[in-house]
PDB file of all heavy atoms in Angstrom:
ATOM      1  N   ALA O  28      20.187  -8.793  -5.612  1.00 41.00           N
ATOM      2  CA  ALA O  28      19.615 -10.111  -5.846  1.00 41.00           C
ATOM      3  C   ALA O  28      20.057 -11.071  -4.758  1.00 41.00           C
ATOM      4  O   ALA O  28      21.190 -11.011  -4.280  1.00 41.00           O
ATOM      5  CB  ALA O  28      20.068 -10.627  -7.211  1.00 41.00           C
ATOM      6  N   ALA O  33      20.323 -22.768  -3.106  1.00 66.00           N
ATOM      7  CA  ALA O  33      21.037 -23.771  -2.332  1.00 66.00           C
ATOM      8  C   ALA O  33      20.610 -25.157  -2.817  1.00 66.00           C
ATOM      9  O   ALA O  33      19.705 -25.306  -3.637  1.00 66.00           O
ATOM     10  CB  ALA O  33      20.723 -23.605  -0.844  1.00 66.00           C
ATOM     11  N   GLU O  39      16.593 -17.431  -4.717  1.00 95.00           N
ATOM     12  CA  GLU O  39      15.728 -16.706  -5.634  1.00 95.00           C
ATOM     13  C   GLU O  39      15.076 -17.664  -6.624  1.00 95.00           C
ATOM     14  O   GLU O  39      15.751 -18.386  -7.350  1.00 95.00           O
ATOM     15  CB  GLU O  39      16.529 -15.644  -6.384  1.00 95.00           C
ATOM     16  CG  GLU O  39      15.676 -14.763  -7.283  1.00 95.00           C
ATOM     17  CD  GLU O  39      16.476 -13.712  -8.000  1.00 95.00           C
ATOM     18  OE1 GLU O  39      17.267 -13.028  -7.314  1.00 95.00           O
ATOM     19  OE2 GLU O  39      16.320 -13.584  -9.214  1.00 95.00           O
ATOM     20  N   ALA O 130     -14.024 -12.129  -8.415  1.00 98.00           N
ATOM     21  CA  ALA O 130     -13.693 -13.521  -8.703  1.00 98.00           C
ATOM     22  C   ALA O 130     -13.938 -13.830 -10.178  1.00 98.00           C
ATOM     23  O   ALA O 130     -14.913 -13.361 -10.775  1.00 98.00           O
ATOM     24  CB  ALA O 130     -14.526 -14.462  -7.832  1.00 98.00           C
ATOM     25  N   LEU O 137      -3.177 -19.361 -21.461  1.00 98.00           N
ATOM     26  CA  LEU O 137      -2.471 -18.166 -21.025  1.00 98.00           C
ATOM     27  C   LEU O 137      -2.182 -17.252 -22.215  1.00 98.00           C
ATOM     28  O   LEU O 137      -1.251 -17.498 -23.001  1.00 98.00           O
ATOM     29  CB  LEU O 137      -1.177 -18.554 -20.304  1.00 98.00           C
ATOM     30  CG  LEU O 137      -1.369 -19.290 -18.977  1.00 98.00           C
ATOM     31  CD1 LEU O 137      -0.027 -19.717 -18.396  1.00 98.00           C
ATOM     32  CD2 LEU O 137      -2.135 -18.446 -17.985  1.00 98.00           C
ATOM     33  N   ASP O 139      -3.221 -12.801 -23.357  1.00 98.00           N
ATOM     34  CA  ASP O 139      -3.900 -11.580 -22.940  1.00 98.00           C
ATOM     35  C   ASP O 139      -5.393 -11.701 -23.241  1.00 98.00           C
ATOM     36  O   ASP O 139      -5.784 -12.087 -24.354  1.00 98.00           O
ATOM     37  CB  ASP O 139      -3.309 -10.377 -23.665  1.00 98.00           C
ATOM     38  CG  ASP O 139      -1.876 -10.089 -23.247  1.00 98.00           C
ATOM     39  OD1 ASP O 139      -1.394 -10.739 -22.304  1.00 98.00           O
ATOM     40  OD2 ASP O 139      -1.248  -9.207 -23.875  1.00 98.00           O
ATOM     41  N   THR O 206       0.168  -7.828   9.184  1.00 95.00           N
ATOM     42  CA  THR O 206       0.084  -8.731   8.040  1.00 95.00           C
ATOM     43  C   THR O 206       0.000  -7.971   6.726  1.00 95.00           C
ATOM     44  O   THR O 206      -0.864  -7.115   6.553  1.00 95.00           O
ATOM     45  CB  THR O 206      -1.145  -9.661   8.173  1.00 95.00           C
ATOM     46  OG1 THR O 206      -1.045 -10.410   9.394  1.00 95.00           O
ATOM     47  CG2 THR O 206      -1.232 -10.613   7.001  1.00 95.00           C
ATOM     48  N   THR O 207       0.904  -8.310   5.793  1.00 95.00           N
ATOM     49  CA  THR O 207       0.851  -7.745   4.447  1.00 95.00           C
ATOM     50  C   THR O 207       0.364  -8.761   3.421  1.00 95.00           C
ATOM     51  O   THR O 207       0.028  -8.380   2.299  1.00 95.00           O
ATOM     52  CB  THR O 207       2.226  -7.210   4.020  1.00 95.00           C
ATOM     53  OG1 THR O 207       3.193  -8.279   4.079  1.00 95.00           O
ATOM     54  CG2 THR O 207       2.675  -6.080   4.934  1.00 95.00           C
ATOM     55  N   GLU O 240       4.130 -20.502  14.644  1.00 96.00           N
ATOM     56  CA  GLU O 240       5.586 -20.663  14.623  1.00 96.00           C
ATOM     57  C   GLU O 240       6.217 -19.574  13.774  1.00 96.00           C
ATOM     58  O   GLU O 240       5.843 -19.377  12.622  1.00 96.00           O
ATOM     59  CB  GLU O 240       5.953 -22.040  14.059  1.00 96.00           C
ATOM     60  CG  GLU O 240       7.444 -22.278  13.934  1.00 96.00           C
ATOM     61  CD  GLU O 240       7.767 -23.627  13.312  1.00 96.00           C
ATOM     62  OE1 GLU O 240       6.841 -24.433  13.124  1.00 96.00           O
ATOM     63  OE2 GLU O 240       8.957 -23.851  13.007  1.00 96.00           O
ATOM     64  N   GLY O 268       8.550  -3.267  -5.920  1.00 92.00           N
ATOM     65  CA  GLY O 268       9.724  -2.682  -6.544  1.00 92.00           C
ATOM     66  C   GLY O 268       9.933  -3.181  -7.962  1.00 92.00           C
ATOM     67  O   GLY O 268       9.431  -4.243  -8.353  1.00 92.00           O
ATOM     68  N   LEU O 331      18.610  -1.235  13.846  1.00 42.00           N
ATOM     69  CA  LEU O 331      19.523  -0.421  14.632  1.00 42.00           C
ATOM     70  C   LEU O 331      19.800   0.903  13.932  1.00 42.00           C
ATOM     71  O   LEU O 331      19.867   1.965  14.567  1.00 42.00           O
ATOM     72  CB  LEU O 331      20.831  -1.180  14.874  1.00 42.00           C
ATOM     73  CG  LEU O 331      20.757  -2.355  15.858  1.00 42.00           C
ATOM     74  CD1 LEU O 331      22.079  -3.112  15.889  1.00 42.00           C
ATOM     75  CD2 LEU O 331      20.392  -1.856  17.267  1.00 42.00           C
ATOM     76  N   GLY O 347      18.435  21.963  19.254  1.00 42.00           N
ATOM     77  CA  GLY O 347      18.111  23.177  18.502  1.00 42.00           C
ATOM     78  C   GLY O 347      17.172  24.070  19.240  1.00 42.00           C
ATOM     79  O   GLY O 347      16.987  25.216  18.891  1.00 42.00           O
TER      80      GLY O 347
END
Side-chain angles (χ1 to χ4, degrees):
E39 185 179 311
L137 294 176
D139 293 353
T206 302
T207 58
E240 177 183 352
L331 288 174

